[in-house]
Amino acid sequence: MEEFILIFRHQDGSKIASPEQMQTWMKQTMDWIGGIASQNKYIGGNGLPLDNARVVHHNRIVTNGPFGEIKETLGGYIMVKAESIDEAVEFAKDCPILQAEGNTVEVRKIAKGDGTH
């Protein structure tokens, strides 16, 4: 069994939806994660709020951001166990954030930390 990270890139939902719609999306997301967890394949994850964030650049300059006005930004991630990247992609295909055009879920294998990938 391998470990994968599903990285969510999407707009700041609070800027485009009502609080009720946000609540609906959150329930859909929790239900989706619950489905993965019921298969004992959910490892963990977190949302990443856009407020009070910083970006450190190669020259050690620090700027505020990222900002929700950006069309697509890193909004969170979950980690899953799967037999293959194809199985992890199947989990990603059902992610509720994909309801909005332009949103994406990137699927990446997690390095084992033992020098092998």
Side-chain angles (χ1 to χ4, degrees):
M1 190 82 57
E2 303 285 348
E3 294 182 356
F4 296 87
I5 187 167
L6 282 57
I7 303 166
F8 312 134
R9 289 195 172 86
H10 55 81
Q11 297 179 56
D12 181 354
S14 66
K15 302 237 190 297
I16 60 171
S18 68
E20 294 80 18
Q21 182 63 48
M22 291 291 294
Q23 188 173 19
T24 298
W25 289 339
M26 184 58 67
K27 181 178 181 336
Q28 290 172 341
T29 300
M30 294 292 94
D31 290 347
W32 171 69
I33 291 171
I36 297 169
S38 72
Q39 301 173 55
N40 288 329
K41 295 197 173 182
Y42 177 74
I43 297 170
N46 287 297
L48 300 170
L50 295 171
D51 59 333
N52 201 25
R54 303 289 183 273
V55 177
V56 180
H57 300 268
H58 74 282
N59 55 4
R60 299 179 52 99
I61 299 291
V62 179
T63 59
N64 291 333
F67 297 103
E69 295 80 36
I70 298 171
K71 176 72 173 158
E72 182 185 284
T73 191
L74 186 60
Y77 67 93
I78 66 168
M79 296 174 293
V80 299
K81 295 182 280 189
E83 295 294 333
S84 67
I85 192 164
D86 294 327
E87 182 182 14
V89 165
E90 289 303 313
F91 290 145
K93 285 181 180 179
D94 291 330
C95 181
I97 72 154
L98 296 176
Q99 295 174 48
E101 187 174 336
N103 292 352
T104 63
V105 179
E106 180 179 344
V107 180
R108 304 272 303 267
K109 183 176 174 182
I110 298 174
K112 296 179 182 182
D114 61 1
T116 64
H117 297 286

